Amino acid sequence: MEFETLLYEVSDGVATITINRPDAANAMDPQMALDLSQVGILCDDDPAVRAVLITGAGRMFCAGGDLGTFAEAGMARKSIIKKMAGDLHMGLSRLARGNAPVIAAVNGTAAGAGMSLVMACDLAVAAESAVFTMAYTRAGLVPDGSSTFFMPRRIGDRRARELMLTNRVLKADEARDWGIVNEVVADDRVLERAQTLARELAAGPTLAFGAVKTLLNGTFDQSLESQMELEARAIAELSVSADGEEGITAFVEKRKPEFRGE
């Protein structure tokens, strides 16, 4: 399937989504939000997709929302932004609640909606030259793209407030130290490293990965006892799945398991 603002392909169990507006700094416009909504459904519904990788074409990951589009819309921007945010959030919801782990390969600047997108991913690998900034309030706006949900959970409330209120710019090493990304590698290795990680995850127990995502995403919404009950139900259910049976059997037989994502 082809999209106006994204490149999409599936290979070896990995769906690669490339933000493809390099001449516009990969800024997010209404069409990109719609494309992300549609690609989120594709990833969620295709059993061949067992990991998702998101990166940007050119020198930037995503420079945020396309403010030029908003300016041209005049006061009609209110309705445009509601539609755009709805599409974006639908896509992010599908990726977050799907079984496939989502990895960001941050090849350059991640600002505004671009940084929100990184925060929504399960794992992130950044190029040494990458920088991160929220930038929303600099334009008199408020963060969207799930960042007010994921950022406090990933890095804590104080740091989330600092980034959102001061628009502090973090270099890649600082982003790693803050827990925004997992790894920092040379610029020419970022996609390769993220692809390796994605392929490793795509060969893993996909249903178990999905259960891990669900448990972690709800951690702050449950009491201790409720969270432990959810853990108990999830591990019991997975123990009788095909991959659970394979994992247990392989352990007993002292061999490497061969997971099928079932």
Side-chain angles (χ1 to χ4, degrees):
M1 185 172 183
E2 294 186 358
F3 300 93
E4 288 187 35
T5 66
L6 306 174
L7 301 177
Y8 179 75
E9 63 175 339
V10 180
S11 178
D12 297 327
V14 178
T16 300
I17 303 167
T18 304
I19 302 169
N20 192 36
R21 297 186 72 212
D23 295 338
N26 287 332
M28 192 171 296
D29 66 354
Q31 184 61 51
M32 186 184 293
L34 178 60
D35 289 348
L36 284 169
S37 174
Q38 294 174 330
V39 85
I41 293 173
L42 282 180
C43 291
D44 196 25
D45 287 348
D46 186 352
V49 174
R50 297 174 61 186
V52 178
L53 189 156
I54 302 176
T55 193
R59 300 175 58 187
M60 290 196 177
F61 180 75
C62 174
D66 191 339
L67 297 186
T69 298
F70 301 159
E72 292 174 2
M75 295 310 292
R77 73 175 68 102
K78 181 177 180 180
S79 297
I80 290 173
I81 290 175
K82 282 183 178 180
K83 173 65 165 57
M84 180 177 170
D87 288 334
L88 171 61
H89 294 167
M90 178 64 75
L92 294 177
S93 177
R94 291 290 183 265
L95 292 173
R97 297 189 183 281
N99 290 327
V102 183
I103 303 104
V106 189
N107 55 301
T109 297
M115 188 170 183
S116 293
L117 183 56
V118 174
M119 299 308 305
C121 293
D122 298 301
L123 300 169
V125 179
E128 289 176 332
S129 65
V131 295
F132 300 79
T133 182
M134 286 303 283
Y136 289 92
T137 57
R138 186 180 297 131
L141 302 173
V142 64
D144 66 349
S146 77
S147 56
T148 61
F149 181 89
F150 283 118
M151 187 174 283
R153 287 165 166 77
R154 305 276 196 252
I155 67 174
D157 180 82
R158 289 290 189 189
R159 283 183 164 174
R161 287 173 189 265
E162 179 176 353
L163 292 176
M164 292 179 182
L165 296 175
T166 72
N167 299 305
R168 175 173 173 171
V169 177
L170 296 179
K171 295 182 179 180
D173 286 342
E174 292 176 302
R176 179 192 58 209
D177 294 343
W178 279 41
I180 292 168
V181 302
N182 301 91
E183 298 180 48
V184 177
V185 299
D187 287 13
D188 61 356
R189 288 194 58 240
V190 64
L191 185 57
E192 174 191 355
R193 173 57 188 143
Q195 288 172 332
T196 298
L197 180 58
R199 285 193 293 267
E200 290 173 354
L201 291 169
T206 309
L207 294 181
F209 290 157
V212 169
K213 290 171 60 172
T214 297
L215 287 168
L216 290 177
N217 286 345
T219 295
F220 294 94
D221 302 320
Q222 304 291 339
S223 67
L224 170 61
E225 289 73 21
S226 295
Q227 187 71 8
M228 289 192 295
E229 174 61 15
L230 292 173
E231 290 175 349
R233 295 178 69 85
I235 192 172
E237 188 68 27
L238 286 164
S239 73
V240 294
S241 69
D243 280 349
E245 184 171 354
E246 167 64 8
I248 293 168
T249 301
F251 178 83
V252 172
E253 295 177 352
K254 296 181 171 56
R255 61 174 174 82
K256 183 178 179 179
E258 296 182 5
F259 295 119
R260 296 180 299 174
E262 301 174 351

